[in-house]
Amino acid sequence: MTAQVGDRFIYKEDNYSIVAISNPIQFNPLDYGIKPIACCTACWNGYWCEYYISKKGIMLQNLYINSENDHYPKINNVSPERENKKSFQYMGHHLYKNLNIFMEYTGKILIGKGFIKKYYIHMGYQRAWAYEVLEELIFDKGELIKTVDHSEMARKLRLQLENKAEEAPKTSDNIQLFVERSFSLEMKDKAWWIE
């Protein structure tokens, strides 16, 4: 099992990881004639996206993708850049840069920055509470209508976990559930305290 690279969000001119989401963002590479396939174990989806907020709403800015049949058509009039095999940033993917595709999203997206390395888990997506800054963005049809800062809740959860670390069982009876939650980005798995 490998830690997964996930979608990112550019918010207030800073880079955040998407750490939980209430509904999937409706971007599908198949709609553009690309069948993604994993080219490394750190990205089983075969692609990841970078989004930002414009006056219109959520926009897909950059797409890092690996195509099953090496087919990379133009998307929104943009051709992909060929990856540099020496560049870890691409991890073997091709980059569609500055796509600016509007995403009419309704739901909640939890974004984090300042990942605390001591909480790193080498499997799936990282835990929401492992970020120093944790922001909930609430959208209606792509428009940002509300933000909630969960950084203090994340700090409290880290303290609780550290205080209970000695009480934790040494083996897990529920390893399957642990793995499922690790590869999930659902709010109920990553941010259960959010209604």
Side-chain angles (χ1 to χ4, degrees):
M1 302 284 177
T2 307
Q4 297 296 292
V5 64
D7 290 342
R8 300 178 187 140
F9 214 102
I10 300 165
Y11 179 64
K12 295 183 180 176
E13 299 181 18
D14 209 344
N15 292 313
Y16 288 78
S17 296
I18 295 180
V19 296
I21 195 161
S22 64
N23 302 309
I25 296 174
Q26 296 301 314
F27 172 74
N28 187 343
L30 293 172
D31 294 341
Y32 298 91
I34 304 174
K35 185 174 182 182
I37 188 169
C39 64
C40 67
T41 59
C43 186
W44 286 117
N45 289 336
Y47 72 97
W48 77 91
C49 302
E50 292 178 334
Y51 299 96
Y52 73 99
I53 302 172
S54 75
K55 290 180 183 176
K56 282 185 178 179
I58 295 180
M59 304 294 283
L60 169 57
Q61 181 177 28
N62 298 320
L63 169 63
Y64 296 82
I65 192 163
N66 185 53
S67 173
E68 180 181 61
N69 54 11
D70 206 31
H71 176 65
Y72 297 95
K74 284 186 176 183
I75 298 177
N76 210 23
N77 244 0
V78 175
S79 295
E81 295 178 4
R82 294 284 177 185
E83 59 90 18
N84 175 348
K85 293 203 183 279
K86 294 180 181 177
S87 170
F88 180 75
Q89 176 187 0
Y90 287 53
M91 294 191 318
H93 296 80
H94 290 71
L95 169 61
Y96 284 90
K97 206 171 188 179
N98 298 317
L99 287 172
N100 298 316
I101 298 173
F102 173 67
M103 300 280 110
E104 190 172 314
Y105 179 77
T106 298
K108 300 174 181 181
I109 300 175
L110 192 62
I111 59 174
K113 75 172 183 174
F115 180 73
I116 303 168
K117 290 181 182 178
K118 75 176 187 177
Y119 298 113
Y120 173 78
I121 296 176
H122 195 62
M123 178 173 52
Y125 301 100
Q126 301 304 314
R127 307 309 188 253
W129 46 261
Y131 291 84
E132 290 178 358
V133 178
L134 201 57
E135 295 277 341
E136 178 185 3
L137 309 178
I138 303 170
F139 294 91
D140 183 32
K141 296 178 183 167
E143 180 185 353
L144 179 63
I145 58 171
K146 185 177 178 183
T147 63
V148 181
D149 187 338
H150 290 280
S151 303
E152 180 61 19
M153 174 59 85
R155 188 189 69 77
K156 287 178 181 177
L157 288 168
R158 289 192 300 271
L159 284 174
Q160 287 176 5
L161 289 167
E162 288 175 12
N163 290 337
K164 292 183 178 183
E166 291 180 10
E167 302 169 22
K170 300 300 176 198
T171 60
S172 175
D173 293 332
N174 211 338
I175 194 72
Q176 182 177 350
L177 182 60
F178 176 78
V179 172
E180 287 172 10
R181 287 182 176 165
S182 293
F183 282 90
S184 170
L185 285 175
E186 292 184 29
M187 287 284 190
K188 68 180 179 63
D189 294 327
K190 298 292 191 201
W192 61 91
W193 67 90
I194 297 175
E195 295 180 12

